[in-house]
């Protein structure tokens, strides 16, 4: 755990951070608002005090109430990996600026997040489905996408949940959307 | 009764539409990049490769735009092996989630287990017994050797040599059998548990390992001599698909592919886990960044792995192999990223807990997925046959790419 990194992040981004810097094991975590995301990533990448030059991972998260995009960055200066969480994407039309301007390698990871969650990355030159077929309609990793092995909601019951985006009108308490707003 | 005449293509009355180059309706471009790819200039045509192509290491389809024999552009089509592992893990409890991750990369599945296990252990603040840590290092390094020897055979096979893969399988089979004696499974081991490993080392594993270690170095050296000095192999791979360090970092490349471009980034040393800080090993790098360098870095890693196994066998302490944990695990709400250095790069798992016994979100990061993006940029301007050499040297495994 790198305490110096936490102070540095706090100094540099101050009021931009939505929550204080969190540290656990060898991971530091910050949260920034949607409109600050690009600037924050650029500073983290370019500033000689940080030099977070490697994008280890980019993924989407559906908390049941909102969408998030999570970046994991690695620096050549500190051993800590930095997790940048951008919360507050609208669940009905999630949009965020692409990170491909800095890390071209993010292209496929953004395509994956689009494929699985429907998050639109503005500026990605090749934002189309990557795993699912082109004519597929729904987004499988969203929390309102039910798995077919839930017998009461299976195709045999006349409900094609695999193809349905959005909570079914006849959802019961047992199959209700799993939400975790605190995440 | 007159016989119905079938129209012949030679018949001038049969009209052949001029634009019928696609056997299926031509896809409508959805993005800027796809529109650029689908536009054919003078002398260009599309060649389809896969999904059932022997040298695509799984089920990968690549649409190649060629001009004569030269590759102009290519577009990999993924998803033939997509199983939705992330979704399945979100609907399983923490123990069950581990065995879903096993089949991701079937040639090095211990690493696919190690990453989620590391993430879950961080979520639950579990301390692993020292013996279990040594056993994990031992089995992971064995699996790394198995994967790299298979890579060696595969790469030679993709370049047209049959013999090396037979030789490579001698070593790989011995390791696989060894691990089968330990875990009960040949490929999908499901051996790591949250808090330790499934069982202690047994007699059969240890005796096989001892016999193998006594001849491993010499055997692997003779395998290397079979290929490393081969003029055809060297001339076909040297200077091919050069990846410079700056591009590699920007593309998110990790593992041997990054080290072959001269960046000494290795999680075992830079972000140590388990008992790696106590072990002595080098991080082999090369500066050339071409296909040959990527091959040679992996071969150097085999030697380092043998060195690590040797130390582990000397230093392994006695003791329990599992931490004491409740059967039903409910970690506190939180987030953790577990990562291990695998034979292809960083295997990562980002797990989010919401306090229940199932992970709320489980993201699996696979290095092959990132590396496959490079096939296009690295093969532009080369011959079609060299696409295979570049792809083989990047060593993607489609099970991991497609999740």
């Amino acid at each position: 755990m790198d305490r110096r990194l936490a102070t540095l992040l706090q100094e540099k981004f101050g009021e931009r951070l939505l929550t204080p810097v969190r540290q656990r094991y060898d991971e530091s975590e910050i949260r920034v608002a949607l409109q600050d995301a690009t600037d924050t990533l650029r500073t983290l990448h370019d500033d000689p005090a940080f030099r977070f030059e490697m994008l280890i991972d980019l993924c989407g998260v559906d908390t049941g109430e909102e969408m998030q995009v999570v970046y994991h960055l690695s620096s050549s200066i500190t051993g800590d990996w930095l997790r940048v969480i951008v919360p507050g994407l609208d669940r009905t039309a999630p949009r965020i600026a692409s990170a491909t301007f800095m890390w071209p390698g993010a292209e496929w990871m953004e395509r994956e997040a689009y494929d699985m969650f429907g998050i639109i990355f503005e500026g990605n030159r090749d934002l189309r489905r990557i795993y699912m077929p082109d004519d597929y309609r729904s987004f499988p990793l969203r929390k309102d996408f039910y798995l077919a092995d839930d017998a009461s909601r299976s195709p045999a019951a006349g409900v094609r949940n695999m193809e349905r985006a959005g909570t079914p009108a006849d959802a019961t308490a047992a199959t209700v959307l799993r939400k975790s707003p605190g995440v | 009764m007159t016989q119905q005449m079938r129209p012949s293509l030679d018949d001038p009355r049969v009209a052949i539409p001029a634009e019928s180059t696609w056997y299926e309706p031509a896809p409508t471009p959805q993005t800027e990049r796809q529109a650029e790819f689908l536009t054919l200039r003078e002398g260009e045509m599309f060649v389809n490769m896969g999904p059932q192509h022997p040298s695509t290491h799984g089920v990968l389809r690549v649409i190649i735009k060629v001009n004569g024999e030269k590759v102009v552009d290519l577009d990999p089509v993924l998803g033939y092996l997509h199983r939705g592992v992330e979704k399945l893990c979100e609907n399983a409890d923490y123990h069950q989630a581990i065995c879903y991750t096993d089949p991701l990369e079937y040639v090095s599945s211990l690493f696919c287990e190690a990453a989620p296990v590391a993430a879950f252990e961080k979520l639950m603040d579990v301390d692993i017994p020292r013996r279990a840590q040594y056993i994990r290092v031992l089995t992971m390094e064995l699996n790394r050797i198995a994967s790299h020897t298979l890579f060696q055979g595969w790469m030679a096979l993709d370049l047209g040599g049959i013999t090396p893969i037979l030789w490579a399988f001698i070593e790989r089979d011995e390791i696989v059998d060894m691990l089968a004696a330990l875990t009960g499974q040949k490929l999908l081991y499901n051996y790591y548990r949250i808090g330790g490993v499934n069982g202690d080392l047994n007699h059969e594993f240890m005796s096989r390992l001892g016999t193998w270690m006594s001849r491993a170095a010499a055997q692997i050296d003779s395998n290397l001599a079979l290929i490393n000095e081969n003029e055809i192999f060297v001339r076909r791979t040297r200077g091919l698909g050069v990846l410079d360090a700056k591009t590699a970092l920007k593309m998110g490349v990790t593992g041997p592919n990054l080290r072959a471009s001269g960046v000494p980034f290795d999680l075992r040393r830079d972000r140590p886990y388990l008992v790696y800080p106590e072990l002595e090993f080098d991080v082999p790098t090369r500066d050339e960044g071409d296909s040959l360098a990527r091959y040679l870095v992996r071969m150097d890693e085999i030697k380092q792995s043998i060195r690590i196994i040797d130390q582990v066998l000397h230093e392994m302490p006695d003791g329990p192999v599992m931490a004491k944990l409740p059967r039903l695990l409910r970690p506190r709400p939180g987030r953790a990223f577990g990562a291990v250095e695998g034979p292809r790069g960083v295997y990562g798992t980002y797990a989010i807990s919401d306090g229940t016994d199932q992970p709320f979100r489980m993201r699996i990061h696979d290095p092959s997925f990132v590396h496959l993006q490079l096939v296009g940029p690295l093969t532009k301007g080369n011959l079609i046959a060299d696409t295979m050499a570049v792809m083989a040297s990047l060593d993607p495994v489609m099970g991991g790419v497609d999740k």
Side-chain angles (χ1 to χ4, degrees), chain B residues 211-384:
Chain B
T211 322
W212 180 77
M213 279 297 282
S214 62
R215 63 170 177 83
Q219 184 72 39
I220 281 166
D221 273 345
S222 72
N223 278 11
L224 294 182
L226 188 68
I227 300 184
N228 288 12
E229 306 289 318
N230 186 311
E231 197 183 337
I232 300 173
F233 181 85
V234 172
R235 286 178 71 164
R236 276 200 65 187
T237 53
R238 179 174 285 157
L240 176 69
V242 179
L243 177 67
D244 61 284
K246 207 176 161 203
T247 317
L249 283 173
K250 282 199 175 293
M251 292 301 284
V253 175
T254 49
N257 295 341
L258 182 60
R259 294 194 282 275
S261 299
V263 184
F265 177 78
D266 189 327
L267 290 195
R268 290 176 289 176
R269 200 191 55 187
D270 297 339
R271 193 178 185 252
Y273 52 96
L274 302 177
V275 287
Y276 278 113
E278 297 160 32
L279 302 170
E280 213 176 280
F281 60 95
D282 297 333
V283 178
T285 56
R286 300 254 161 186
D287 292 330
E288 298 89 5
D290 55 0
S291 293
L292 184 63
R294 288 192 279 274
Y295 164 79
L296 290 173
V297 161
R298 285 185 170 87
M299 296 307 111
D300 291 343
E301 274 185 18
I302 294 183
K303 290 172 190 161
Q304 296 303 321
S305 291
I306 293 179
R307 203 171 144 196
I308 293 175
I309 293 173
D310 204 31
Q311 294 171 53
V312 166
L313 289 177
H314 280 99
E315 291 167 21
M316 188 182 290
D318 280 336
V321 293
M322 264 302 276
K324 286 209 170 9
L325 281 174
R327 184 159 289 189
L328 191 65
L329 297 171
R330 287 181 195 277
R332 276 174 299 151
R335 294 162 291 277
F337 194 89
V340 292
E341 178 76 33
R344 285 170 193 78
V346 173
Y347 293 70
T349 296
Y350 174 46
I352 301 180
S353 158
D354 62 345
T356 60
D357 60 342
Q358 295 176 331
F360 182 73
R361 166 91 170 99
M362 192 165 141
R363 155 79 180 165
I364 292 160
H365 175 84
D366 192 275
S368 303
F369 180 73
V370 180
H371 296 162
L372 202 61
Q373 286 187 81
L374 284 165
V375 178
L378 290 188
T379 48
K380 271 179 203 172
N382 289 323
L383 303 178
I384 298 177

Side-chain angles (χ1 to χ4, degrees), chain A residues 22 25 27 125 131 143, chain B residues 36 125 335 337 360 401:
Chain A
R22 275 197 210 181
Y25 294 100
E27 295 164 23
R125 285 189 73 229
Y131 289 142
K143 286 292 171 191
Chain B
E36 182 189 303
D125 290 310
R335 294 162 291 277
F337 194 89
F360 182 73
V401 174

Side-chain angles (χ1 to χ4, degrees), chain A residues 87-153:
Chain A
L89 276 70
D90 182 13
R91 246 182 129 252
T92 48
R95 291 185 93 82
I96 189 170
S98 167
T100 44
F101 66 95
M102 224 148 42
W103 293 289
E107 188 176 286
W108 278 19
M109 290 192 262
E110 289 181 349
R111 274 179 73 183
E112 192 190 345
Y114 166 71
D115 194 1
M116 295 291 140
F117 294 97
I119 301 172
I120 308 275
F121 291 87
E122 286 160 356
N124 187 322
R125 285 189 73 229
D126 202 14
L127 198 69
R128 58 191 155 110
R129 295 215 173 248
I130 190 162
Y131 289 142
M132 310 309 279
D134 285 344
D135 55 354
Y136 197 74
R137 291 292 186 79
S138 48
F139 301 107
L141 277 180
R142 287 194 182 203
K143 286 292 171 191
D144 49 12
F145 185 98
Y146 291 89
L147 283 189
D149 63 2
D150 182 351
S152 64
R153 320 208 61 76

Side-chain angles (χ1 to χ4, degrees), chain B residues 49-253:
Chain B
M49 196 180 82
Q52 304 290 346
H53 192 276
S55 56
T56 49
H57 296 204
V59 206
L60 167 69
R61 179 182 169 208
V62 184
I63 306 171
I64 309 179
K65 186 154 84 172
V66 290
N67 190 342
E69 186 81 15
K70 286 248 161 40
V71 177
V72 179
D73 202 351
L74 60 80
D75 186 24
V77 182
L78 311 182
Y80 290 92
L81 272 178
H82 182 61
R83 290 146 287 178
V85 171
E86 292 178 7
K87 187 76 177 179
L88 291 171
C89 291
E90 284 168 20
N91 289 278
D93 73 27
Y94 284 95
H95 296 298
Q96 291 166 336
I98 299 166
C99 57
Y100 278 125
T101 61
D102 251 336
L104 283 173
E105 282 203 359
Y106 29 77
V107 298
S108 54
S109 56
L110 280 177
F111 295 93
C112 298
E113 291 172 31
V117 168
F120 296 162
E121 277 162 356
K122 275 185 182 174
L123 276 180
M124 288 167 213
D125 290 310
V126 182
D127 282 329
I128 325 162
R130 281 190 61 79
R131 186 174 174 81
Q133 296 191 25
Y134 274 99
I135 293 178
R136 278 196 197 173
V137 171
L138 171 66
T139 45
M140 271 200 268
E141 293 304 326
L142 278 173
N143 207 337
R144 190 190 310 275
I145 297 173
S147 173
H148 281 344
T149 44
L150 190 65
F151 158 80
Q152 184 196 17
W154 255 344
M155 178 147 179
L157 189 69
D158 287 354
L159 292 171
I162 297 286
T163 317
I165 197 159
L166 304 175
W167 281 54
F169 260 93
I170 298 174
E171 297 313 305
R172 180 175 162 78
D173 266 0
E174 183 51 38
I175 296 175
V176 162
D177 286 347
M178 214 185 281
L179 289 171
L182 177 64
T183 65
Q185 296 276 344
K186 274 198 91 154
L187 289 176
L188 312 176
Y189 306 108
N190 194 17
Y191 181 55
Y192 298 159
R193 295 284 184 273
I194 300 161
V197 295
N198 188 20
D200 207 343
L201 303 179
N202 57 26
H203 178 71
E204 191 188 343
F205 173 78
M206 287 311 284
S207 62
R208 271 173 173 254
L209 180 62
T211 322
W212 180 77
M213 279 297 282
S214 62
R215 63 170 177 83
Q219 184 72 39
I220 281 166
D221 273 345
S222 72
N223 278 11
L224 294 182
L226 188 68
I227 300 184
N228 288 12
E229 306 289 318
N230 186 311
E231 197 183 337
I232 300 173
F233 181 85
V234 172
R235 286 178 71 164
R236 276 200 65 187
T237 53
R238 179 174 285 157
L240 176 69
V242 179
L243 177 67
D244 61 284
K246 207 176 161 203
T247 317
L249 283 173
K250 282 199 175 293
M251 292 301 284
V253 175

